Amino acid sequence: MIRATLAGLCSRRLRMLLSALAIVLGVAFMSAALVVTDTLGRSLRDLYAGLHEDTQVQVTAKQVLPGIGEDSATTPVPAALVRRVAAVTGVATATGVVSEDGARLVGADGKVIGTSFNRPRLGTNWTGERGSIRLRAGRAPAAPNEIAINAALSRAAGTQVGDRVAVLTQRPKQMFTVIGIVGYRGDRDSVGGAHEIAFHESVAAELMLGRPGVYSAVDVRAAPGVTPAVLRDRLRSALGDDIVVRTGDELRATQSESAREDLATITLILLAVGGIALFVGVFLILNTFSIVIAQRTRELALLRALGARRRQVIDSVFVEAVLVGSAASAAGAALGVGIAVLLPRLAGNTAVGDVGLSAASVPPAAVLTSVTLGLAVTVVAAFGPALRASRVPPVAALRAISSPNRPLTRLTVAGAVIGAVGVALLVIAFSGGTDDIPLGTVLGGVLASFVGAALLTPVIARPEVNLIGRLFAWSPPGRLGRLNAGRNPRRTASTAAALMVGIALVTAVNVVLTSATASFHSTAADYYRADLILTEPTSTDRPQTFDPAILDRIRALPGVAAVVGVYDDLALTNRGRTGILAVDDIAAWWSTVEVEHVAGSLGPLAPDEVVADADTAADLDLRIGSPVTISFASGRSRTFTLAGTYRSDWAGGWILPASVVPDLSRQQPATGLVRLAPGASEADVRAQVSSLLAESPETVVTDPAGFVDIATGVFRTVLALLQVLLGVAMLIATLGVINTLALSVLERTRELGLLRAVGLSRGQTVQMVTAEAVAISIFGALLGVAVGTGLGAAVARALRAEGITELALPWTFLTAYLASGVLIGVLAATLPAVRAARTDVLRAIAHE
């Protein structure tokens, strides 16, 4: 049996190669993801081993808002703390350090130089060549208008020593002279891809922390004979509980862990691509083994007639699956390792190279996991066909060369039951009639409905494919292709399922994101009464700001009725972290947004007054006149009196007067709202505002609809990633259609010979096979669009309480997905159609 299996496998090399490609692709992505993850992990350990190497202990202020990530400013420490630290026994040196994200260099084209992967743009104070910092060219900043920049920023901006450049910080744009270029130990141009600008000590704190005389941290070196751990304990005892003291090792471990969390997203994307490829590959492998077993019906029946037991037949199919799966998985793992090994070389001095990639290692666990996963997928996919092969009766050898179509009763019942459960769960979830819909129940219903639809696919395959095939029924070859596509519903459904899964997944998410965007557009139109909005065009961890003086210039423009500057930040109340807004003109604020007045006064605010949305006030059990203590990210706290409450569908929280701006971590407005006077030309005013924003290149002027487009930009990023997954799924689906048609052509060799004998030309043969392929592909695309739209609509409805109030369909994308079905069919039909057209008529007629 084993020899017979090996001989049969050698005779079917092409069909098995097509199936193996699906596993190769999936395993390659998995293997590359695991190896790259290990390489990046080691690179980060190597990188952070060199960071803070001159800092044995670091002293910082306790964060006012614990648990906030990069979007929070550091709570600064006073310069006096440096002297207190230096006076502690065992301290050799204490150096005040400014290091904050938000120093943006403006390029020669007037645009801000960005970083890859949204890495920080650090503004620091020059403290000399400490730790890994090395001066490569020029000299250190010696005046307030001089800066040194790292080599990565110099390369990105095309800036050299002696150039005059503009820099944005917490203060309006200022001009500086680049006086030095710095690098880092190990010949690195940056630390983790960050851009760095080092200012003179006299201006660094004011530019980056908003006020002079403070630092981000104090770096400490221990005196000879004093260990960092001992010095840490002494400093903790001397400085009190409001100060955080950590050793260099503790700092490196914390930062390394934070960076690994950032890289987890990249890993998840790679694993998701590999997972989709493997999952879709299951359908291809299942279809291939099903067709091969069907074609070997007579062969297997003869083996049974000669004494082969059912177990031997099953074992022979499993041996075939193990051999194919092992070879494909090994090839996929090798391909993935090759990609991962080449990555550091390809990175070179690019943004990835700035992370400092080490030479790739190949952990045995990564290779073993990838190969095991690919082999398991292949064996699982072969289980069903193997079981069916063992049931071939010996008498089949006397009367058939292929097994008849099996009834679809069991599959139909299973699909109907599971689908009914899914529908029932969705009905239960939505029957409450409120916006409080249990998302878990909805997702369970969506999953069950998806599985039910997949199981019912063979039932609808024949009528649907016949209906689609009527598009080609204007010619005899087209009619033949339509009949061939509906001949075996199980095979057609399995072939189309690979395409359906990918399109259904992307369609569902696309429907949710499109609905969210439409809902936000609708609510923004209801909320904003401003005609123009000043905002940043990209979404970043740390929102950018602009010079508040621009708002005064806009107020002076003809045709402008009201202007308000909005400062946003994070703060702390007695119920935890919250968002706050400070506005420079409360009357203008209420005229540019749509809110409902609930209680108290929403008029001009005194410096110690605040208004809040009604839900927030009720949650804190506050009434008009109640005191409210708010702690700001800068470390300062103030007590306010609640003056009024309001209600809004778009934004909620606290509205504070402009008097709190000095206490905020960002002391420039992040948003500006402009309301035009009756009869004013929006185009003219927008053009004038745009010219005023020339000094703030990260800020644009738009309308409420454009503001929502910017705010929902992350949706487009997610969708772009999903399109990558869809591309992988479509590639596998194309292989599946090619495989199915190739095997189908072999299965119908005698039939093709007879058709050619009665007058079917080569061109008509190509047309027939193409029509069959296109019908199957369009069926898969239609099914994917229909299932994905339904499931996406259900999830969108479940998220109504989160602000998705409208259902909108991405018609352009849906049309593109259907068109892709036609393209896949044409491409997939090329090789099988050419092979069919070249069939030798006499040999085909004699074929058994």
Side-chain angles (χ1 to χ4, degrees), residues 390-403:
S390 69
R391 294 173 178 169
V392 175
V395 72
L398 303 176
R399 56 181 171 82
I401 61 171
S402 63
S403 61

Side-chain angles (χ1 to χ4, degrees), residues 615-710:
D615 293 336
T616 299
D619 185 52
L620 295 175
D621 196 25
L622 297 175
R623 294 174 176 79
I624 303 302
S626 296
V628 181
T629 299
I630 297 178
S631 299
F632 301 98
S634 62
R636 299 173 179 173
S637 296
R638 290 177 56 177
T639 299
F640 300 87
T641 300
L642 183 64
T645 58
Y646 66 96
R647 185 170 283 111
S648 169
D649 292 332
W650 178 264
W654 304 91
I655 309 297
L656 291 90
S659 61
V660 304
V661 170
D663 297 322
L664 304 181
S665 62
R666 296 186 287 268
Q667 298 173 9
Q668 294 187 106
T671 307
L673 304 177
V674 180
R675 189 175 183 186
L676 303 182
S681 170
E682 180 180 323
D684 291 344
V685 175
R686 179 184 292 208
Q688 294 179 73
V689 172
S690 296
S691 65
L692 293 176
L693 290 173
E695 296 298 303
S696 299
E698 285 190 312
T699 304
V700 298
V701 57
T702 184
D703 53 25
F707 177 75
V708 175
D709 286 336
I710 293 172

Side-chain angles (χ1 to χ4, degrees), residues 512-529:
V512 174
L513 297 182
T514 302
S515 299
T517 301
S519 300
F520 293 161
H521 272 288
S522 176
T523 54
D526 293 337
Y527 176 73
Y528 280 114
R529 290 188 288 175

Side-chain angles (χ1 to χ4, degrees), residues 395-412:
V395 72
L398 303 176
R399 56 181 171 82
I401 61 171
S402 63
S403 61
N405 287 334
R406 291 173 290 126
L408 302 174
T409 306
R410 293 182 179 179
L411 205 61
T412 303

Side-chain angles (χ1 to χ4, degrees), residues 61-65 72-78 170 209-211 214 569-572 630-638 660-667:
K62 181 177 292 185
Q63 291 294 319
V64 174
L65 308 176
S72 173
T74 302
T75 302
V77 298
Q170 284 221 33
L209 292 169
R211 60 183 188 268
V214 293
D569 209 346
L570 294 169
L572 195 68
I630 297 178
S631 299
F632 301 98
S634 62
R636 299 173 179 173
S637 296
R638 290 177 56 177
V660 304
V661 170
D663 297 322
L664 304 181
S665 62
R666 296 186 287 268
Q667 298 173 9

Side-chain angles (χ1 to χ4, degrees), residues 252-264:
R252 288 186 285 272
T254 300
Q255 292 182 336
S256 181
E257 181 62 30
S258 176
R260 278 196 294 268
E261 291 176 359
D262 291 341
L263 292 171

Side-chain angles (χ1 to χ4, degrees), residues 23 91 504 660 807:
I23 302 301
V91 173
V660 304
L807 176 63

